[in-house]
Amino acid sequence: MAVADKLPLCRSSMNYEAYAQRMREDNKRMSDFIDFGCSSPSNLNAEVNESIHSRDSEDETSSDEAICANLEEDDDIIHGNPRMRFMITMKLTKWLLSVLLLTVATAVANTSGAFVGVNIGTDVSDLPSASNVVAILKAHQITHVRLYDANMHILRALSNTGIEVIVGVTDEEILKIGEFPSAAAAWVNKNVAAYMPSTNITAIAVGSEVLTSVPNVAHVLVPAMNYLHKALVAANLHFGVKVSTPQSMNIIPRPFPPSTATFNSSWNSTIYQLLQFLKNTNSSYMLNAHPYYGYTSGDGIFPIEYALFQSLPSVKQIVDPNTLFHYNSMFDAMVDATYYSIEAFNFNNIPIVVTGTGWPSSGGANEPDATVKNAETYNNNLIRRVLNDSGPPSQPKLAINSYIYEMFNEDKRNGHVTEKNWGIFHTNGSTIYPLSFSASNQINGNSSALFCVAKDDADTEKLQAGLNWACGQGQANCAAIQAGRPCYFPNNVKSHASYAYNDYYQKMHNAGGTCDFDGTAMTTTEDPSHGSCKYAGSPNSSTGSGSLPSMALGHGDPAGASLKLQVSSLQHMLSSASVFFALVLF
């Protein structure tokens, strides 16, 4: 007979005097728990288990009467004792909420596209109020920010905005946190837990370029990260808040060619520990990548167009001699050099987020490339490049989420003139130069479309090679030129190459991609679409002018379908939660 079938038999033989005594004992135990132990969830588990299940150790009998008595006492203790009922409900609620938050975070992470955020420094003479800073962010649709510290005024102002925030542990705080776990716990409680969940803190950046800027604290860098992570675990915040540490490109002595790049061997032990931590905690490698410095310290090796995401003529194409990957920008080469350096330690699947990149708008007499024009060109092209949702040549499907350095000119900073002039906004909220964080404004800003097609007199073998590259390494979406698809006819290499060239060009020209293909291609304003075959960039194309459909970038499912699936899963989870709470509470 099932236990549920035995329940009606239990009431008639129940010892009410013993039951009343048990209730008095449990009430006393719960009263003591509430007075002295309610701050510790682990105490709750121990007390509830002792109160409800202590009979199991006293009586090992498996008789029907014993089973019924235990079930009845458990039911009456929980439902007849409001205090215990409340404490159990709170414990289960906390657990279920954690599951729901993790599900939501996963759904959002899986459906969000690439983003460009901004760094917020406060070494500014006339720094706007925190509320005005947030108003500027909202006005320009900036959804991600990085703070160099844990400025309480800005964190409060960001409350209920949905803006994702990286908070910073300053270099000066690392030593204490790396030596004392209690200091890490206090830092997390004060600077993270105190603001969540209303302020959407998603990561902690430990220091800034520690290995190259403050090497004297490098020995406690990874211990500090571990202690912070453990503090997040204790606060049940580790699912949504990750820990990492921004490093500069200076830690990679020879970043070109990217395929042979490695980290500075003098830091091998620390870097291995760092990568192991990032892998274990599913965190990203934080990289500060500044092509401005790569260009100005390169003694003319690379053209400035390469640093500014601008097109290069075919004779100046930057190619890795080992992989034959074409690099259309120094930014991509820097990110790839870091991926290869990570792989040299036999780690993979550690994504890179660029926590700082930009271009100064003003410099001293010996800094001629720090101009408003170059800063405008770099940052606008950066936004276009990141928002095309693709990765560098070695990791084409991993978007390069990035943070522009920085929001305001920090005129109180020490150093060269350029150090004070990386800002993109005046303190009154206006931009120093035209800039847009909107994907639609960036991509659709041109009034006339430009297409890339094969030349009429191009060599057939070169066309075939260009077609193969575009559909392969170039990641063009060549599905439409397959047999049975709208652009299959005319079935010749010139027509197919034109479609593939153009698809590549529409996705990549704003990030430095060219229309050359070994001299076999040219640009034209004449729409090459014909019949039901619509070229990317055409007003009649389903993708619109220069838009970037997820299928064209190699994703398996349309983003909308994926989002609907995940929302549906959340709805089922919430429905289950409703039933669960009803059972517990009633």
Side-chain angles (χ1 to χ4, degrees), residues 107 110-111 550-551 555-569:
N110 289 340
T111 56
S550 59
M551 292 297 288
H555 300 300
D557 298 316
S562 177
L563 178 59
K564 288 178 182 177
L565 269 174
Q566 288 159 340
V567 169
S568 177
S569 298

Side-chain angles (χ1 to χ4, degrees), residues 174 178 206-211 217-228 243-247 270 274:
I174 295 175
V206 183
S208 181
E209 305 181 357
V210 171
L211 299 186
V217 300
H219 66 287
V220 293
L221 175 61
V222 178
M225 296 170 69
N226 267 306
Y227 290 148
L228 288 166
V243 180
S244 189
T245 177
Q247 299 300 329
T270 300
L274 169 61

Side-chain angles (χ1 to χ4, degrees), residues 402-443:
S402 302
Y403 293 78
I404 291 179
Y405 179 81
E406 57 186 334
M407 189 168 185
F408 304 113
N409 285 330
E410 291 191 277
D411 59 308
K412 294 167 64 177
R413 288 178 64 92
N414 298 323
H416 298 292
V417 176
T418 51
E419 292 297 319
K420 310 171 190 290
N421 288 282
W422 291 76
I424 58 177
F425 293 107
H426 295 293
T427 53
N428 64 4
S430 62
T431 56
I432 294 176
Y433 40 81
L435 189 70
S436 175
F437 284 78
S438 168
S440 59
N441 289 348
Q442 285 289 348
I443 295 174

Side-chain angles (χ1 to χ4, degrees), residues 208-491:
S208 181
E209 305 181 357
V210 171
L211 299 186
T212 51
S213 298
V214 280
N216 58 301
V217 300
H219 66 287
V220 293
L221 175 61
V222 178
M225 296 170 69
N226 267 306
Y227 290 148
L228 288 166
H229 175 71
K230 290 179 180 178
L232 290 170
V233 172
N236 205 28
L237 297 174
H238 58 296
F239 290 125
V241 183
K242 298 300 181 180
V243 180
S244 189
T245 177
Q247 299 300 329
S248 77
M249 283 300 299
N250 291 335
I251 202 172
I252 302 174
R254 296 180 181 84
F256 196 88
S259 61
T260 60
T262 57
F263 291 116
N264 187 325
S265 60
S266 63
W267 294 112
N268 276 357
S269 176
T270 300
I271 290 172
Y272 179 83
Q273 295 173 45
L274 169 61
L275 296 177
Q276 188 68 66
F277 172 86
L278 297 178
K279 183 73 172 181
N280 291 345
T281 60
N282 294 316
S283 301
S284 299
Y285 183 96
M286 292 181 172
L287 170 68
N288 289 347
H290 291 290
Y292 171 78
Y293 291 125
Y295 168 71
T296 56
S297 63
D299 297 324
I301 296 176
F302 298 107
I304 192 169
E305 292 86 358
Y306 178 57
L308 295 173
F309 298 94
Q310 293 179 318
S311 300
L312 293 171
S314 57
V315 294
K316 291 187 177 180
Q317 293 289 306
I318 308 300
V319 181
D320 186 314
N322 302 306
T323 62
L324 300 184
F325 285 149
H326 288 243
Y327 287 91
N328 296 318
S329 71
M330 187 180 293
F331 175 83
D332 278 74
M334 286 179 165
V335 174
D336 242 0
T338 307
Y339 272 121
Y340 280 111
S341 297
I342 292 172
E343 290 177 2
F345 275 81
N346 294 318
F347 286 95
N348 50 43
N349 297 322
I350 298 177
I352 292 172
V353 57
V354 177
T355 43
T357 188
W359 198 280
S361 59
S362 181
N366 61 339
E367 299 168 313
D369 300 297
T371 66
V372 170
K373 180 181 179 181
N374 285 345
E376 176 184 353
T377 300
Y378 180 86
N379 283 322
N380 276 295
N381 284 341
L382 168 75
I383 296 171
R384 294 187 185 101
R385 189 268 169 271
V386 171
L387 295 185
N388 74 23
D389 216 22
S390 65
S394 80
Q395 306 287 340
K397 294 184 179 180
L398 293 181
I400 312 174
N401 295 325
S402 302
Y403 293 78
I404 291 179
Y405 179 81
E406 57 186 334
M407 189 168 185
F408 304 113
N409 285 330
E410 291 191 277
D411 59 308
K412 294 167 64 177
R413 288 178 64 92
N414 298 323
H416 298 292
V417 176
T418 51
E419 292 297 319
K420 310 171 190 290
N421 288 282
W422 291 76
I424 58 177
F425 293 107
H426 295 293
T427 53
N428 64 4
S430 62
T431 56
I432 294 176
Y433 40 81
L435 189 70
S436 175
F437 284 78
S438 168
S440 59
N441 289 348
Q442 285 289 348
I443 295 174
N444 298 326
N446 294 331
S447 58
S448 60
L450 196 64
F451 302 91
C452 179
V453 297
K455 292 179 178 178
D456 290 334
D457 59 350
D459 179 78
T460 301
E461 289 187 2
K462 287 187 175 181
L463 279 175
Q464 186 64 58
L467 171 63
N468 294 342
W469 185 91
C471 294
Q473 185 178 318
Q475 300 179 71
N477 180 9
C478 297
I481 56 176
Q482 303 305 310
R485 302 302 294 272
C487 299
Y488 179 68
F489 293 106
N491 181 20

Side-chain angles (χ1 to χ4, degrees), residues 35-47:
D35 291 338
F36 301 108
C38 62
S39 63
S40 172
S42 60
N43 288 350
L44 174 63
N45 289 334
E47 291 293 336

